[in-house]
Amino acid sequence: MQGKERTFTPEVEKVWNKDYQCEYYRGVIIDGEDNIVERCTRTHASYDAALDEAKKKMAYSPLYYRQAGADIKEKLEEYKKKKAIEEKKNAVVVFHTDEFGEWKYMYEPKDGGVLYRFRYKNQMSEASTFLSAKSGSSAVAPLIANEVYRKGESDKIFYESRIRSEYDIEKLPGHKDIWKITSIVNVTQNKNQDSKVTVRYLKFGNLTKEFKKREKKKTIVIKRKWAFYNDLMEYIQNYADIRW
């Protein structure tokens, strides 16, 4: 006779906190007979926070997820998707292309979400290379080859590797244009599938390091060819109705 299949469910138990002299909560996992099979390590002042931790333990544990009932699996899948979105929203993300001079974007989760648009100015400068040659005993006139190099390349690499917050944007070196996008007004798509996004923004540079007082409005183009196009558009659409 085949044994009964075990099923697991996330739950919460009350725990007495000796330091605060009140009840706290801890996430637990129970089986089909209401036995606690595992307790989470942390305790929480919030019931919901404790339940969230129990759900996370189940959703990311192959042991419990595999043996959960169909209805619980469906709820755990929804939970994983929800947590993935929350984690994405709570992470500092830098979107940048491999092309020098293209606009980059940074999303910072503080204050409900802040989006920055920035770029390094394409600092180009000419340099001369002198080549000399000899033919027998007579010297041939030096050959001069002009080449163009990017003065800002090292600044760009240094800058992009260290962006974590607005403070970093202000303090790191290099000639740059930076917008703080305050709201999304409208989003449409071009025939070539690039997206036109109308934004309100405040602009500042690395000379004054201060936001200009007057807010501006402009339509910018998010290019389909950018590798981060879908991710960036997801941020823009998710936060289009939120004041940044």
Side-chain angles (χ1 to χ4, degrees):
M1 181 176 176
Q2 189 174 357
K4 184 178 178 182
E5 183 180 353
R6 295 187 74 186
T7 58
F8 299 97
T9 308
E11 256 302 344
V12 173
E13 70 172 353
K14 291 181 180 180
V15 180
W16 183 254
N17 188 303
K18 292 187 294 183
D19 296 328
Y20 295 104
Q21 291 294 297
C22 65
E23 288 182 334
Y24 261 49
Y25 302 94
R26 177 163 49 205
V28 296
I29 297 174
I30 64 173
D31 62 14
E33 298 176 353
D34 290 335
N35 298 311
I36 295 177
V37 295
E38 186 168 351
R39 289 179 168 87
C40 296
T41 304
R42 297 180 57 193
T43 59
H44 303 267
S46 164
Y47 177 96
D48 290 339
L51 182 60
D52 189 68
E53 187 174 0
K55 287 179 179 177
K56 184 173 183 178
K57 182 178 282 288
M58 277 202 64
Y60 294 96
S61 167
L63 171 63
Y64 295 122
Y65 181 85
R66 184 173 63 248
Q67 298 184 67
D71 57 332
I72 291 295
K73 282 186 178 180
E74 185 176 343
K75 291 178 181 178
L76 292 178
E77 283 300 321
E78 291 176 3
Y79 171 83
K80 282 198 281 189
K81 290 176 183 177
K82 179 183 175 183
K83 293 304 290 184
I85 292 172
E86 288 178 3
E87 288 172 4
K88 199 172 184 181
K89 286 181 179 179
N90 292 327
V92 174
V93 181
V94 180
F95 304 99
H96 62 89
T97 68
D98 293 330
E99 299 177 44
F100 193 91
E102 286 278 21
W103 286 99
K104 283 83 176 169
Y105 295 83
M106 183 184 90
Y107 171 78
E108 186 180 2
K110 72 171 189 176
D111 300 328
V114 182
L115 188 67
Y116 297 93
R117 184 182 199 232
F118 64 95
R119 69 178 172 184
Y120 266 76
K121 293 180 180 178
N122 201 357
Q123 303 164 68
M124 308 295 281
S125 178
E126 287 192 354
S128 297
T129 302
F130 295 88
L131 306 173
S132 61
K134 289 186 176 181
S135 177
S137 59
S138 301
V140 178
L143 303 174
I144 300 177
N146 287 325
E147 62 180 16
V148 176
Y149 69 96
R150 292 167 174 161
K151 292 173 62 179
E153 186 73 35
S154 60
D155 280 346
K156 180 178 83 78
I157 294 170
F158 175 83
Y159 180 62
E160 290 183 357
S161 67
R162 288 163 174 80
I163 297 172
R164 292 295 179 271
S165 67
E166 178 183 318
Y167 176 83
D168 295 333
I169 285 183
E170 292 186 28
K171 296 297 181 184
L172 292 173
H175 298 290
K176 51 191 178 286
D177 292 327
I178 302 172
W179 300 6
K180 181 178 182 179
I181 296 175
T182 57
S183 63
I184 304 296
V185 178
N186 189 39
V187 180
T188 58
Q189 199 169 67
N190 290 340
K191 290 181 180 179
N192 64 359
Q193 295 188 321
D194 290 347
S195 288
K196 293 168 65 176
V197 181
T198 304
V199 302
R200 289 191 180 92
Y201 69 97
L202 297 169
K203 180 179 178 181
F204 71 102
N206 62 325
L207 298 178
T208 63
K209 296 182 181 176
E210 291 179 354
F211 289 115
K212 294 183 178 179
K213 299 294 183 183
R214 188 168 62 88
E215 189 179 64
K216 299 180 180 180
K217 186 169 84 170
K218 188 177 180 69
T219 298
I220 60 179
V221 177
I222 309 299
K223 298 181 181 179
R224 171 66 70 173
K225 70 176 182 178
W226 290 344
F228 57 80
Y229 173 87
N230 289 333
D231 292 325
L232 179 57
M233 288 306 300
E234 184 180 340
Y235 275 89
I236 288 173
Q237 289 163 353
N238 283 343
Y239 294 95
D241 59 346
I242 294 179
R243 179 182 176 275
W244 285 330

